[in-house]
Amino acid sequence: MRTPLTELMGVRYPIVQTGMGWVSGPRLVTATARAGALGILASATMTPDQLRSAVREVRSRTDAPFGVNLRADAGDARERVRIIVEEGVRVASFALAPSQELIAELKDAGVVVVPSVGARRHAEKVAAWGADAVIVQGGEGGGHTGDVATTVLLPQVVDAVDIPVIAAGGFHDGRGLVAALAYGAAGVAMGTRFLLTSDSTVPDAVKARYLAATVKDIALTRAVDGLPHRMLRTEMVAELEGAGRLRSLYRALRRASGFRRISGLSWPGMVRDGLALRHGKKLNWSQVLLAANTPMLLKASMVDGRTDVGIMASGQVAALIGDLPSVEALVARIMAEADEALAALPSSVPHGRAAESSPSGA
């Protein structure tokens, strides 16, 4: 299936595996690239040295294109951009809109730049700055998300920009891919669906909890860091929602200390990153610290298997997923389902005046 996404990225299928912290490591990205989709390494939970090592590990396992996801507001963003350029990474994706200068620097080096956006105006801005494509995530998506559904947001962005648009939020199968293409997207990006594969390194017990989730178990909460965050309703989320300000501050400081040891960040650096994540929102200090060390809360679940003290970012599609295929089998299945969905579409449907004038009135 050839679309503007496959042409731009050099992949066989218009499917993107998103950069999920502690999840999108070399193993998952390699499996995705080998399957013909675009895998994206999540660098926010890696040091620069770990990022370089991860890129080289993927490169040693496959010649297929892959990408790296960056935080544009990170203090060492330019160092990470240099690693991407030096290591010959095909795609740079961003969780937040990168600056015009950063986009230009990457494009000058031949790197494809793909920011993620949650509003039409953001897509218009990065397109004007030279972004090669955009990932548009509707409110159904996991992690930090907006409140506009993909079915409303996607056509707005498709109509507003003339670069490839990749749809995210609510996709997990071939029917969704066909629907996104019908809206004018060039493909789909999925996180939760790739997390729930046998190639994902997330602990089996954590995957089982995702598989058991119903729609009602997947909540949108501001309790973690003051920003809308879609995740499974775990013990940790319930505790944060019911905690007072002092108790939240104490827990935030404790977890921030742990993340500081892992990441090598200084306390001023953590506060700076937390403030950068505020996006103009009024957050208290515990929320600022939690924003800075949200990766630690994710690590507790995604790496350590401690769902009682961690958070589990999740798209609403988790409620529709019931198996753990390999990435290769998943991508093949999605494409087969897409072919079936396309073949099932009627070639001619009476409508408008033609329908009104038919003898049956149908």
Side-chain angles (χ1 to χ4, degrees):
M1 181 180 287
R2 297 179 64 182
T3 75
L5 184 157
T6 62
E7 296 296 317
L8 178 65
M9 311 294 188
V11 294
R12 294 199 303 273
Y13 306 121
I15 300 171
V16 176
Q17 163 252 302
T18 59
M20 299 167 281
W22 305 113
V23 177
S24 301
R27 176 172 153 179
L28 182 60
V29 171
T30 298
T32 303
R34 286 176 173 173
L38 182 72
I40 298 180
L41 281 168
S43 78
T45 51
M46 301 177 185
T47 65
D49 287 342
Q50 289 171 339
L51 171 58
R52 191 183 293 274
S53 177
V55 168
R56 291 179 176 178
E57 183 175 345
V58 176
R59 182 71 71 208
S60 71
R61 295 178 179 180
T62 179
D63 294 328
F66 64 96
V68 169
N69 180 258
L70 304 168
R71 268 187 51 195
D73 60 346
D76 59 357
R78 289 197 175 276
E79 180 181 359
R80 293 169 185 269
V81 164
R82 186 173 67 251
I83 292 171
I84 287 175
V85 173
E86 290 174 352
E87 297 297 329
V89 175
R90 173 71 174 175
V91 178
S93 74
F94 289 89
L96 300 171
S99 66
Q100 188 172 5
E101 293 74 22
L102 208 57
I103 292 175
E105 182 177 342
L106 285 161
K107 287 174 65 69
D108 287 346
V111 180
V112 176
V113 180
V114 187
S116 294
V117 299
R120 181 181 64 186
R121 68 182 186 279
H122 298 155
E124 292 172 333
K125 178 174 70 175
V126 296
W129 286 352
D132 296 292
V134 290
I135 295 176
V136 178
Q137 178 173 304
E140 300 94 322
H144 289 115
T145 192
D147 54 5
V148 180
T150 303
T151 51
V152 176
L153 180 60
L154 178 59
Q156 287 183 7
V157 176
V158 168
D159 291 343
V161 300
D162 58 3
I163 57 177
V165 175
I166 304 161
F171 298 101
H172 72 291
D173 62 6
R175 295 175 300 174
L177 172 57
V178 171
L181 296 177
Y183 272 110
V188 296
M190 302 182 293
T192 306
R193 177 63 276 194
F194 278 99
L195 184 157
L196 294 174
T197 61
S198 61
D199 292 296
S200 163
T201 58
V202 172
D204 289 342
V206 176
K207 292 179 184 178
R209 186 151 183 177
Y210 275 99
L211 294 177
T214 67
V215 172
K216 293 183 178 179
D217 297 320
I218 305 166
L220 186 64
T221 181
R222 292 178 178 269
V224 173
D225 56 15
L227 303 172
H229 210 150
R230 188 173 295 285
M231 60 187 68
L232 294 192
R233 186 172 291 284
T234 63
E235 296 90 335
M236 177 66 180
V237 174
E239 184 176 328
L240 286 172
E241 288 180 335
R245 179 168 294 188
L246 288 177
R247 188 177 182 186
S248 295
L249 180 59
Y250 166 74
R251 290 185 175 276
L253 284 167
R254 190 177 66 183
R255 290 184 173 84
S257 178
F259 182 58
R260 189 177 66 86
R261 289 194 297 271
I262 291 175
S263 66
L265 286 172
S266 63
W267 280 109
M270 287 195 65
V271 172
R272 183 191 62 241
D273 285 357
L275 290 171
L277 285 170
R278 293 173 70 175
H279 304 301
K281 305 295 192 302
K282 294 182 179 179
L283 305 184
N284 59 45
W285 278 110
S286 64
Q287 291 170 330
V288 168
L289 286 172
L290 282 171
N293 73 98
T294 294
M296 192 66 173
L297 299 177
L298 287 166
K299 178 181 180 293
S301 293
M302 300 299 104
V303 177
D304 303 331
R306 293 291 307 276
T307 60
D308 57 327
V309 294
I311 59 175
M312 303 169 66
S314 177
Q316 288 182 310
V317 294
L320 304 177
I321 297 173
D323 61 352
L324 299 169
S326 68
V327 167
E328 181 181 15
L330 172 64
V331 171
R333 184 170 76 194
I334 290 173
M335 297 312 301
E337 291 169 346
D339 287 340
E340 292 173 2
L342 287 169
L345 293 174
S347 58
S348 177
V349 179
H351 62 89
R353 295 190 179 185
E356 295 171 2
S357 63
S358 64
S360 65

